[in-house]
Amino acid sequence: MSNTRYLKINHEKFGYDVLAMFQSFFTDCSWQLVFPGCRENIIEEANATGIFAELEFLNSDIGLSMADKNDESAESKRSDYDADFPVKVCIDGENLFYKGGEGKAFKEGFGGWLYDELKRITGRALPWGTLNGVRPTKLAYQRLEQGMSHDEILEYYLTERKTSVEKAELAIEIASREREILSKLHMKEGYSLYIGIPFCPTTCLYCSFTSYPIAQFRKQVDSYIDAVIKELEYVAENMKDKPLDTVYIGGGTPTTLEPAQLDRLISRVEELFDMKDVAEFTVEAGRADSITADKLKVLKEHNVTRISINPQTFNQETLDFIGRKATVQQLLDIWPVARELGFDNINMDIILGLPDEDETKVNHTIEMIKELKPDSLTVHSLAIKRASKLSQWIVQNGKSTLKNTDSTMDIAFAGAKELGLEPYYLYRQKNMSGNFENVGFAQDGKYGIYNILIMEEVQTIVACGAGTVTKRVFYDGDKIDKLERCENVKDVALYIEKIDEMIERKKVLFSDEK
């Protein structure tokens, strides 16, 4: 029996926003959007299984496609019922009608109305209300910038976005802390630098990031570093008159590089860039099976200020299942080495909602973390990516074995509080287990500044390496005018081959003629 429900819509303009809301309310199944022009096999599957929900946008100014506007049958449909209602929604056999305004007012009003109807039908509320985007704190950040008070922003979240009080307060608290942290940076005239190392020891079951098994790509690593350095040389020359605020080397797993390779890459970064304004230099050490004392010594010698050593869970059977070959013991062995070398800003990542991870297992992980006392902790709620092997596993085994709940989140949050860590950044992802969020906690002064920048999109971030995305932020006075991107190809061999093209893309993005 299929565990897929089908959502049919006569215009794809609002399709994915609507789909995200249905996915949030009905979490016991997977969802498939059906719209004009989608693949024929999807339409056939939907007709065979049955449409669970259908939306018809009846007002041509709001939703109908150009084909619909010229279709007499579309006109006749509108005459079948009150034409003042621009949207007809049928959910599991129940017909509903929405009447609203035009443009943005329509979109926001319709979203709120649909949320209320789904809340009525399911008998449950969503902690983030109508917010489906990845940056729910951005709304608070923008309103604080505009001079709105705490109470005014709280009222906005509760009435217009229908969030819970707890989530609204969390968003405001984090946004306030973010503004304080970022006030010390060169937001308009400065930039941050990201360097991607797309290699890992193995690919974890849940992962959809650009990563390649280091054992198969070992012979290409030096050529890859050469290409990255060539890209960095262009960036350094182009940005030479701008202050550099943060440097972040991520992946993949950067510590899959050998000590000499790490040394060569970071040495070149230090030669090319003026590091005097750098407030944070992060390297994701990541998996304990990739970390050695010699690699940590290289990072320390180059004044890397922040590293991540990520358990994801302290339950070995879960690590084995998800294909994360780094063992609990390897992390316990390398942790004191990092401390003895003088690293005083170490982050840990954990993931809630992994297969068979119930409250008891999450509590074990948090107790282990409390013993190790990291300087920051990032609590991820599992996001099931279509490109991951976990997505295939769910199809075969069902979602019931994936378990992230209010209680597991509470365990993690309480553990962070006991460690004296404060929430400082937050983001959400599509298909997130339990409709929760990812939250970063840190000691005062040990915040991951780059994490805030990438979420709030308030500073230009120049990214080098395969699969990376550069974001240029344009300011008009003190206000952000627009944001433009350029992407690097994901394939390592193609990145090496096309490095001049990758540089050319950046030249276009940073051209003064824009």
Side-chain angles (χ1 to χ4, degrees):
M1 183 176 179
S2 173
N3 194 36
T4 300
R5 286 179 176 172
Y6 293 88
L7 171 63
K8 186 176 181 181
I9 193 165
N10 70 327
H11 196 289
E12 59 269 35
K13 181 176 181 181
F14 300 116
Y16 289 98
D17 287 338
V18 172
L19 179 65
M21 192 171 292
F22 273 87
Q23 287 173 324
S24 298
F25 273 101
F26 299 92
T27 59
D28 60 342
C29 60
S30 59
W31 282 88
Q32 177 64 58
L33 189 64
V34 183
F35 55 88
C38 71
R39 296 199 307 271
E40 190 64 34
N41 67 306
I42 293 177
I43 297 174
E44 292 174 358
E45 291 169 3
N47 291 333
T49 304
I51 303 296
F52 180 81
E54 182 173 3
L55 281 77
E56 291 184 79
F57 289 88
L58 311 173
N59 185 322
S60 62
D61 292 331
I62 294 172
L64 290 183
S65 65
M66 291 304 297
D68 286 333
K69 291 177 184 178
N70 298 321
D71 184 354
E72 292 182 2
S73 65
E75 290 293 334
S76 65
K77 281 182 183 179
R78 285 199 292 276
S79 65
D80 288 343
Y81 40 82
D82 191 342
D84 288 336
F85 292 96
V87 189
K88 175 187 177 184
V89 182
C90 179
I91 302 175
D92 201 18
E94 180 182 358
N95 287 329
L96 306 167
F97 297 92
Y98 172 71
K99 179 180 180 179
E102 301 289 335
K104 186 177 179 181
F106 164 79
K107 185 175 181 180
E108 292 183 355
F110 173 67
W113 172 83
L114 181 61
Y115 174 87
D116 288 338
E117 291 296 336
L118 292 176
K119 179 181 175 182
R120 175 184 61 80
I121 290 169
T122 62
R124 60 187 291 255
L126 302 179
W128 286 105
T130 63
L131 293 174
N132 289 312
V134 299
R135 298 176 175 87
T137 59
K138 195 167 187 175
L139 297 171
Y141 189 99
Q142 291 171 340
R143 282 158 177 77
L144 287 169
E145 289 283 282
Q146 295 166 9
M148 291 179 65
S149 69
H150 170 279
D151 289 347
E152 288 174 324
I153 300 172
L154 179 63
E155 181 68 13
Y156 167 80
Y157 272 94
L158 298 182
T159 58
E160 296 193 39
R161 296 299 185 172
K162 302 178 185 293
T163 70
S164 69
V165 174
E166 293 76 17
K167 297 304 180 187
E169 291 285 10
L170 179 63
I172 297 169
E173 177 187 358
I174 288 175
S176 300
R177 189 165 287 121
E178 287 177 336
R179 288 184 73 230
E180 180 183 354
I181 296 166
L182 298 186
S183 67
K184 303 170 186 176
L185 303 184
H186 307 85
M187 299 306 298
K188 292 188 293 182
E189 68 275 19
Y191 72 106
S192 288
L193 178 66
Y194 178 87
I195 302 170
I197 307 297
F199 307 110
C200 277
T202 58
T203 301
C204 298
L205 192 66
Y206 57 81
C207 185
S208 64
F209 289 106
T210 302
S211 67
Y212 302 91
I214 189 66
Q216 297 178 27
F217 284 79
R218 184 67 72 185
K219 293 181 180 179
Q220 291 181 270
V221 173
D222 283 320
S223 296
Y224 178 79
I225 294 173
D226 290 340
V228 170
I229 288 174
K230 186 173 185 180
E231 192 174 11
L232 288 168
E233 288 170 346
Y234 160 74
V235 172
E237 176 61 26
N238 187 67
M239 310 294 282
K240 63 184 178 182
D241 296 325
K242 298 181 180 295
L244 175 61
D245 278 323
T246 72
V247 178
Y248 194 105
I249 302 181
T253 307
T255 42
T256 51
L257 301 184
E258 296 299 325
Q261 293 168 332
L262 280 169
D263 181 64
R264 180 162 77 93
L265 175 62
I266 300 176
S267 293
R268 194 66 182 125
V269 169
E270 291 172 328
E271 292 166 0
L272 290 169
F273 296 88
D274 185 348
M275 306 288 282
K276 74 175 186 301
D277 292 314
V278 172
E280 173 186 277
F281 188 172
T282 296
V283 175
E284 281 189 19
R287 289 173 47 156
D289 57 342
S290 72
I291 309 170
T292 65
D294 287 340
K295 293 178 185 181
L296 290 175
K297 287 176 184 176
V298 169
L299 301 184
K300 193 62 182 174
E301 288 167 359
H302 285 290
N303 299 313
V304 169
T305 59
R306 182 176 180 273
I307 62 173
S308 288
I309 301 177
N310 303 328
Q312 310 303 9
T313 173
F314 274 96
N315 296 290
Q316 187 60 52
E317 61 272 26
T318 305
L319 292 173
D320 293 339
F321 178 81
I322 64 176
R324 191 174 178 86
K325 301 302 182 183
T327 66
V328 170
Q329 191 58 52
Q330 284 174 318
L331 189 145
L332 295 176
D333 290 342
I334 201 64
W335 186 267
V337 176
R339 287 299 199 199
E340 289 166 9
L341 286 170
F343 286 100
D344 61 358
N345 192 352
I346 307 179
N347 174 72
M348 275 189 175
D349 282 7
I350 61 169
I351 300 176
L352 304 183
L354 290 169
D356 294 325
E357 288 261 313
D358 57 13
E359 286 84 351
T360 300
K361 290 185 177 180
V362 171
N363 190 67
H364 170 68
T365 292
I366 295 302
E367 289 301 314
M368 293 291 291
I369 290 171
K370 284 158 63 175
E371 289 184 20
L372 295 174
K373 296 181 175 61
D375 306 288
S376 61
L377 173 67
T378 307
V379 179
H380 295 271
S381 189
L382 178 67
I384 305 157
K385 305 293 184 67
R386 288 185 181 181
S388 70
K389 294 179 182 178
L390 183 58
S391 179
Q392 301 168 21
W393 181 87
I394 290 169
V395 173
Q396 297 170 356
N397 295 276
K399 281 191 177 181
S400 59
T401 49
L402 297 180
K403 197 171 185 180
N404 191 21
T405 63
D406 287 313
S407 59
T408 54
M409 293 291 284
D410 289 344
I411 290 168
F413 278 48
K417 185 176 182 179
E418 286 184 47
L419 286 167
L421 308 181
E422 305 169 320
Y424 75 94
Y425 92 111
L426 180 154
Y427 69 102
R428 304 180 70 221
Q429 293 167 273
K430 291 181 179 179
N431 304 322
M432 184 170 278
S433 177
N435 193 235
F436 291 108
E437 63 279 327
N438 303 323
V439 181
F441 299 87
Q443 293 179 11
D444 185 23
K446 301 295 176 69
Y447 310 111
I449 301 172
Y450 176 85
N451 291 332
I452 301 172
L453 292 169
I454 199 70
M455 279 302 110
E456 296 305 329
E457 297 183 324
V458 289
Q459 186 186 59
T460 292
I461 295 177
V462 184
C464 299
T468 62
V469 180
T470 293
K471 297 180 181 181
R472 184 180 181 186
V473 178
F474 293 80
Y475 274 87
D476 181 6
D478 291 331
K479 294 183 178 180
I480 294 174
D481 180 44
K482 60 181 178 178
L483 187 150
E484 294 186 3
R485 298 170 170 84
C486 73
E487 300 180 1
N488 283 351
V489 295
K490 293 183 179 181
D491 183 80
V492 168
L494 194 60
Y495 170 78
I496 295 170
E497 177 187 345
K498 301 286 188 180
I499 186 59
D500 290 335
E501 181 184 323
M502 302 303 101
I503 293 171
E504 189 60 35
R505 292 180 185 184
K506 284 183 170 58
K507 288 181 179 179
V508 172
L509 179 63
F510 289 99
S511 170
D512 291 333
E513 297 177 1
K514 278 187 165 294

